[in-house]
Amino acid sequence: MAEAVNKTLTDSLLAADPSHLLFVRADGTEITAGQVRASAAALLQKMTGASAPIYVFTDSLGELAVAFLAAQAAGRKMILLPQAGSRYCESIGAPPEDCYGAFGDRGQAIPLDNVTPDAA
């Protein structure tokens, strides 16, 4: 029997072929491993602060994978929020610069479109 390979999610995302299909949006748009890696690299460039957690609110598994990979690369914790309203974010102390996803003008968008697939 072949020995089981124990890979983390991060290892799997980094090792996947760039054209490997990971997600399909409701509109049929495909999201590949290369797009997730390139988007995570772009998001990593936006991140400031070495130890503060990032707060993520999204209904997209692709964006969640991007935020996860960028947080791992930055060595930051990722907190998934159940909602993204300004009052809620303020009540839990989530500063706008550390909010990623569907926050409107309060946070930062997760770049998943318009990237060149596959970044190191």
Side-chain angles (χ1 to χ4, degrees), residues 10-110:
T10 305
D11 293 336
S12 296
L13 287 171
L14 294 175
D17 183 89
S19 63
H20 180 76
L21 178 64
L22 294 177
F23 308 104
V24 178
R25 292 178 175 157
D27 68 2
T29 306
E30 297 180 345
I31 300 171
T32 65
Q35 286 174 285
V36 168
R37 287 194 294 260
S39 296
L43 184 60
L44 189 58
Q45 297 290 320
K46 292 181 173 184
M47 289 186 175
T48 59
S51 63
I54 66 166
Y55 299 88
V56 176
F57 177 76
T58 182
D59 61 358
S60 165
L61 286 175
E63 289 182 0
L64 182 60
V66 169
F68 171 80
L69 197 56
Q72 289 292 302
R76 295 175 70 173
K77 292 180 182 178
M78 183 175 76
I79 299 172
L80 298 176
L81 299 180
Q83 59 186 358
S86 295
R87 284 189 150 153
Y88 175 74
C89 291
E90 289 170 13
S91 74
I92 63 168
E97 65 272 11
D98 291 330
C99 293
Y100 298 91
F103 287 92
D105 61 355
R106 177 172 170 76
Q108 300 184 55
I110 296 173

